[in-house]
Amino acid sequence: MYTIEEFDKQKTKIMNYIMYKKRTEKEVRNKFSSTIQEELLYDIIDYIKQAGYLNDNDYIKKAIMEYINLKNLSITEIKYKLSIKGISIQMIEDYIDNNKEELEKYELNSAKNLYQKKIKNSDKQQIKQYLIKKGYKTQTIKEVVKCQTC
């Protein structure tokens, strides 16, 4: 068992970690699992989740909005980046399914942007291979190449 003082002290450490940058539950567990006893860490995380400071669904939403605003990624790359953060594949898939139209439009624009950047130094076949490696759907690649030859 632990004391209220210990709970508050450790909770403050974790809150500072979370407030510095949005984190997933897995990131918090990994960071503090070696320094805080398991039961105490579990209780603190549960408390913080109930208070609304730690929510993987919110993390998904914010991370995807950041990717959309700053990067050219395929949906596959987005899934991979989120899964590395410890978010369940099911939660990621649910979010993507619920926002499919918007994300497919973003993926198409990302592929177009990459195509435009690469066309100066590469041929179409090399660009297609690059987009395939980046996880873009075949249909998206066909659409981008067809659109560029119009």
Side-chain angles (χ1 to χ4, degrees):
M1 208 55 185
Y2 51 84
T3 64
I4 292 174
E5 291 82 18
E6 186 179 2
F7 180 89
D8 284 341
K9 179 182 172 193
Q10 300 300 340
K11 180 182 72 164
T12 301
K13 281 184 189 177
I14 293 173
M15 287 299 294
N16 287 337
Y17 180 67
I18 292 170
M19 295 312 225
Y20 177 74
K21 177 183 163 196
K22 261 303 199 200
R23 313 284 181 168
T24 64
E25 184 176 337
K26 183 179 180 189
E27 288 178 302
V28 173
R29 283 192 194 287
N30 289 345
K31 171 78 173 166
F32 294 99
S33 63
S34 61
T35 58
I36 300 175
Q37 73 178 17
E38 190 176 334
E39 181 185 347
L40 176 57
L41 181 59
Y42 178 84
D43 289 346
I44 292 171
I45 288 174
D46 191 46
Y47 175 85
I48 292 171
K49 283 171 64 177
Q50 286 180 9
Y53 292 106
L54 192 62
N55 184 322
D56 284 353
N57 280 320
D58 286 348
Y59 185 91
I60 293 170
K61 187 185 304 180
K62 288 179 180 169
I64 289 179
M65 291 312 295
E66 186 177 306
Y67 299 150
I68 287 172
N69 292 326
L70 301 175
K71 299 181 186 296
N72 289 317
L73 300 172
S74 67
I75 293 173
T76 304
E77 288 176 300
I78 290 172
K79 288 179 187 178
Y80 177 74
K81 284 181 172 284
L82 291 171
S83 67
I84 285 176
K85 295 290 186 175
I87 298 172
S88 78
I89 298 298
Q90 188 59 52
M91 286 175 75
I92 297 168
E93 291 290 344
D94 289 346
Y95 183 87
I96 289 171
D97 287 345
N98 292 335
N99 298 279
K100 193 171 195 77
E101 192 176 308
E102 177 188 357
L103 289 171
E104 285 177 347
K105 199 179 297 182
Y106 160 72
E107 184 179 61
L108 179 62
N109 287 332
S110 293
K112 285 178 182 177
N113 291 340
L114 289 172
Y115 187 92
Q116 290 299 323
K117 288 179 186 176
K118 298 276 183 191
I119 195 65
K120 297 169 192 155
N121 302 319
S122 306
D123 65 26
K124 286 181 186 176
Q125 194 58 38
Q126 288 174 318
I127 298 170
K128 283 182 187 177
Q129 290 302 313
Y130 175 77
L131 293 174
I132 289 168
K133 277 194 270 184
K134 298 283 279 171
Y136 287 90
K137 294 178 191 136
T138 308
Q139 183 59 40
T140 302
I141 296 169
K142 285 179 183 175
E143 203 171 320
V144 167
V145 172
K146 185 179 99 179
C147 189
Q148 301 306 319
T149 57
C150 298

